[in-house]
Amino acid sequence: MDTCTWCEVTGVVLGSGSVFWELPDGTKAIEILNTPTYTCENCGAVYQSDETVKQIEDQLFLISTVDLSKTVDYQDLMKMKRLLKRNYFDFS
């Protein structure tokens, strides 16, 4: 991904950062640290790839979020035990 999704100018840098996510059941929002993040040097937009967004949403849907703390590291979140093998409700 070399071109910014927002301004369509070349100059996107891959890094990591914190993102805030609402749980699928709407009970709370969490902060996910060290999430793969793109930053545009031209317009300053900071965003995640569609693939990263889907991975986070699927994982939050597939794990027990009852005991999930308000802050979690991205890698730790992705390693949490799933209740289902995959998101059977995703028809995309």
Side-chain angles (χ1 to χ4, degrees), residues 69-85:
S69 64
K70 292 182 181 182
T71 304
V72 63
D73 186 80
Y74 175 79
Q75 291 298 328
D76 293 339
L77 175 65
M78 292 299 122
K79 292 177 187 174
M80 289 183 175
K81 183 181 176 188
R82 293 180 169 193
L83 301 174
L84 298 171
K85 291 181 181 180

Side-chain angles (χ1 to χ4, degrees), residues 17-35:
S18 293
V19 296
F20 295 88
W21 225 272
E22 183 177 349
L23 297 183
D25 62 5
T27 56
K28 66 180 175 181
I30 60 169
E31 180 180 15
I32 306 171
L33 306 172
N34 301 310
T35 304

Side-chain angles (χ1 to χ4, degrees), residues 7-85:
C7 71
E8 299 180 350
V9 172
T10 303
V12 175
V13 177
L14 177 61
S16 64
S18 293
V19 296
F20 295 88
W21 225 272
E22 183 177 349
L23 297 183
D25 62 5
T27 56
K28 66 180 175 181
I30 60 169
E31 180 180 15
I32 306 171
L33 306 172
N34 301 310
T35 304
T37 302
Y38 290 98
T39 302
C40 178
E41 295 177 333
N42 181 61
C43 71
V46 178
Y47 57 94
Q48 294 71 46
S49 68
D50 291 341
E51 179 183 336
T52 299
V53 170
K54 178 151 179 35
Q55 288 172 346
I56 291 171
E57 289 180 349
D58 282 348
Q59 186 69 352
L60 290 174
F61 186 73
L62 297 172
I63 65 172
S64 173
T65 59
V66 173
D67 297 323
L68 191 60
S69 64
K70 292 182 181 182
T71 304
V72 63
D73 186 80
Y74 175 79
Q75 291 298 328
D76 293 339
L77 175 65
M78 292 299 122
K79 292 177 187 174
M80 289 183 175
K81 183 181 176 188
R82 293 180 169 193
L83 301 174
L84 298 171
K85 291 181 181 180

